[in-house]
């Protein structure tokens, strides 16, 4: 009975010690075995690990890709046009031993604080060396790669690899937006005024050219009409002259009949002539011989 009473506590202690000497590392983790604060074993593969109970402790770190969002950062590019930049980074702990030495017991929180300082400093350095138009253009992708490479080189001392850096937002400060929008509106209005002025000038040229063309066409038409009319009159006169030369008496008779027809048009024509007028010579009765 006494042996049983003694064995049970000993067995319980052995089980507790055995369980406390085993730890599990999943595929999402890396682990360090520390003894009095010093790294004894690095466990990077998933599975079971062992440690000395009470003497050694296990510290685990996330082996996945982690995210770090930086607060808004105001930068001043080369053209002195201040911008508000909001960035984020993706990083991974690749050397847990170096990571532990760099951040100590602070862990991820201390590492992110130091990474934030590195990322902000590198963002200021890269974006401060170019113009704001470069930051807002397609060259932005190359600038992000440059920020990532510079930050990654500085983060190696932490046992961390920076995988990517992205600029989420690049805006003007609120106090500068209205002034910038005002300048943009004024510039657009000036361009619109210039376009309208050029359009009015072009329209005036078109109208002037059209008016000139009309005048030239009308003048040419009148000239050709006068030429044709003159030629027709010349032909008519030539015919009259020929007819007059062929029989002068008949020609005078014909002209008198035409004059009678033109003067006696209508149903109520009245003519007042002197008795000895020659107008109706051809209508007078011939005197008997």
């Amino acid at each position: 009975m006494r042996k049983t009473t003694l064995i049970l506590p000993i067995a319980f202690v052995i089980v507790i010690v055995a369980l406390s000497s085993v730890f599990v590392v999943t595929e999402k983790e890396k682990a360090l075995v520390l003894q009095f604060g010093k790294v004894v074993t690095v466990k990077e593969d998933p599975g079971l690990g062992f440690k000395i109970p009470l003497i050694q402790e296990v510290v685990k770190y996330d082996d996945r890709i982690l995210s770090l969002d930086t607060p808004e950062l105001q930068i001043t590019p080369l053209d002195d046009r201040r911008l508000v930049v909001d960035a984020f980074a993706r990083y991974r702990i690749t050397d847990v031993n170096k990571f532990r030495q760099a951040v100590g017991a602070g862990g991820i929180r201390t590492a992110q604080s130091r990474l934030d300082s590195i990322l902000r400093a590198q963002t200021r350095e890269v974006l401060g060396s170019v113009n704001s138009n470069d930051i807002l253009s397609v060259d932005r992708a190359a600038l992000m790669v440059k920020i990532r490479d510079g930050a990654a080189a500085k983060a190696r001392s932490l046992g961390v690899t920076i995988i990517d850096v992205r600029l989420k937002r690049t805006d003007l400060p609120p106090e500068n937006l209205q002034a910038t929008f005002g300048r943009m509106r004024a510039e657009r209005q000036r361009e619109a005024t210039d376009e309208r002025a050029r359009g009015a000038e072009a329209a005036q040229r078109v109208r002037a050219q059209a008016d000139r063309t009309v005048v030239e066409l009308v003048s040419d038409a009148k000239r050709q009409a006068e030429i044709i009319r003159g030629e027709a009159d010349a032909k008519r006169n030539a015919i009259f002259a020929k007819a007059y030369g062929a029989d002068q008496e008949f020609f005078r008779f014909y002209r008198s009949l035409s004059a009678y027809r033109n003067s006696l048009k209508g149903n109520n024509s009245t003519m007042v002539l002197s008795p000895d007028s020659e107008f109706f010579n051809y209508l007078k009765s011939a005197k008997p011989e």
Side-chain angles (χ1 to χ4, degrees):
M1 186 67 180
R2 291 181 179 178
K3 289 182 179 181
T4 303
T5 304
L6 187 61
I7 290 173
L8 286 177
I10 294 174
F12 180 76
V13 171
I14 292 173
V15 171
I16 294 298
V17 170
L19 291 177
S20 61
S21 64
V22 177
F23 62 92
V24 178
V25 177
T26 67
E27 64 276 3
K28 300 182 295 183
E29 300 172 328
K30 291 182 180 181
L32 292 177
V33 179
L34 304 180
Q35 182 173 326
F36 305 117
K38 295 183 179 181
V39 177
V40 176
T41 306
V42 177
K43 178 66 174 175
E44 296 184 348
D45 298 326
L48 294 177
F50 299 94
K51 66 182 181 66
I52 301 174
L54 302 178
I55 296 177
Q56 296 178 343
E57 62 174 330
V58 177
V59 179
K60 295 180 181 180
Y61 296 107
D62 202 325
D63 193 33
R64 294 172 295 182
I65 295 175
L66 305 176
S67 177
L68 172 65
D69 290 316
T70 63
E72 290 185 355
L73 174 65
Q74 288 198 8
I75 63 168
T76 304
L78 289 179
D79 52 5
D80 293 330
R81 184 182 179 186
R82 286 195 306 151
L83 296 175
V84 176
V85 176
D86 190 4
F88 72 91
R90 295 286 184 265
Y91 71 96
R92 186 176 185 181
I93 302 172
T94 52
D95 191 335
V96 288
N97 192 6
K98 185 183 292 186
F99 183 81
R100 177 68 184 188
Q101 294 175 0
V103 302
I108 296 294
R109 181 176 300 179
T110 300
Q112 288 193 342
S113 176
R114 295 178 63 175
L115 285 175
D116 180 74
S117 299
I118 292 173
L119 188 60
R120 290 165 68 88
Q122 190 64 23
T123 302
R124 287 184 185 276
E125 179 181 344
V126 173
L127 300 187
S129 63
V130 297
N131 293 319
S132 57
N133 290 336
D134 297 329
I135 300 173
L136 301 175
S137 68
V138 294
D139 296 334
R140 175 181 181 143
L143 295 176
M144 288 188 293
V145 171
K146 193 173 181 180
I147 294 173
R148 181 201 66 190
D149 294 344
K154 297 177 181 178
R156 290 193 189 99
S157 61
L158 300 178
V160 170
T161 297
I162 295 181
I163 299 172
D164 193 16
V165 173
R166 294 288 172 178
L167 300 178
K168 294 191 296 185
R169 182 171 64 94
T170 307
D171 293 330
L172 293 171
E175 60 271 16
N176 293 352
L177 285 177
Q178 293 302 322
T180 301
F181 290 155
R183 287 196 300 270
M184 291 174 65
R185 280 194 294 268
E187 181 65 20
R188 299 293 87 76
Q189 289 174 356
R190 184 188 65 79
E191 291 179 357
T193 301
D194 292 343
E195 288 295 331
R196 284 194 291 268
R198 285 193 288 269
E201 181 183 357
Q204 186 63 31
R205 286 198 300 268
V206 171
R207 282 193 291 267
Q209 183 64 32
D211 293 342
R212 178 180 177 181
T213 302
V214 169
V215 172
E216 291 176 349
L217 290 175
V218 171
S219 298
D220 186 64
K222 287 182 178 179
R223 182 182 62 81
Q224 293 182 14
E226 292 296 331
I227 292 173
I228 294 173
R229 190 178 293 111
E231 292 176 350
D233 290 342
K235 290 181 180 180
R236 183 193 63 179
N237 294 334
I239 293 172
F240 283 160
K242 185 177 180 180
Y244 183 79
D247 191 342
Q248 296 182 7
E249 183 62 25
F250 177 79
F251 186 75
R252 283 194 295 269
F253 175 72
Y254 176 78
R255 294 295 297 270
S256 297
L257 292 179
S258 297
Y260 297 157
R261 183 176 59 251
N262 293 330
S263 60
L264 297 176
K265 286 181 179 179
N267 297 324
N268 189 20
S269 299
T270 302
M271 297 184 66
V272 179
L273 299 171
S274 63
D276 57 349
S277 174
E278 296 181 356
F279 185 71
F280 289 108
N281 283 340
Y282 289 98
L283 296 180
K284 293 177 180 179
S285 299
K287 295 180 178 181
E289 297 180 356

